[in-house]
Amino acid sequence: MTTSTPETTVKLSIEELARAALEEASSNLGSDVVLLDTRNVSDFTDFFVIASGETERHLEMMADRIERKIRDLGMRRNNREGSGSGGWLLIDFPGFIVHLFNRETRAYYDLEGLWSQANEVVRLQ
């Protein structure tokens, strides 16, 4: 992925963009934010970013800000599904997927357990 400004051109890897999404979730008070490397266990994406939010509004706000951050870095999403009121939002970017949950829904779906063979790259409490 290449991003340009008048002064420079910066080439970001999918992992760097996924890390930017992780950092954006964390800076917007997402909790238990995780980056999983799924390259060895998935043929549809390279990374998962998983985070928890406190309220419907918090989940929606985090999703909007993550989308804006990644768009500003030069990548647009493929798809966005779910809603804060449903307790789960998914943002599908080329090469990585962001999952935002409320605590109950995250525990129910247990993506970290389901994808336990993926490599945990970063976990921010």
Side-chain angles (χ1 to χ4, degrees):
M1 178 60 46
T2 303
T3 59
S4 297
T5 66
E7 300 82 30
T8 64
T9 300
V10 178
K11 202 168 202 176
L12 298 176
S13 70
I14 296 300
E15 182 173 354
E16 289 169 323
L17 290 164
R19 284 177 180 269
L22 171 126
E23 290 168 8
E24 191 66 21
S26 179
S27 70
N28 284 281
L29 304 178
S31 59
D32 198 16
V33 187
V34 179
L35 176 62
L36 297 179
D37 181 340
T38 60
R39 289 178 286 194
N40 292 329
V41 296
S42 170
D43 58 1
F44 66 89
T45 195
D46 293 341
F47 297 94
F48 278 172
V49 176
I50 306 169
S52 296
E54 298 303 315
T55 64
E56 296 173 15
R57 194 171 190 174
H58 185 208
L59 291 171
E60 294 283 351
M61 180 269 305
M62 277 196 302
D64 291 344
R65 291 192 177 167
I66 290 168
E67 275 192 67
R68 186 176 313 123
K69 175 67 173 185
I70 301 306
R71 184 180 59 238
D72 290 348
L73 293 172
M75 180 183 279
R76 296 211 179 273
R77 68 176 164 88
N78 290 329
N79 195 24
R80 180 170 164 169
E81 297 180 23
S83 68
S85 63
W88 177 42
L89 282 147
L90 177 146
I91 312 167
D92 179 10
F93 292 101
F96 68 100
I97 298 172
V98 177
H99 297 274
L100 304 174
F101 292 99
N102 65 27
R103 293 178 195 280
E104 293 165 355
T105 307
R106 184 171 179 173
Y108 177 79
Y109 284 105
D110 186 26
L111 289 185
E112 289 103 322
L114 189 63
W115 292 93
S116 63
Q117 293 181 346
N119 181 38
E120 186 176 296
V121 179
V122 177
R123 181 176 296 265
L124 303 173
Q125 300 290 325

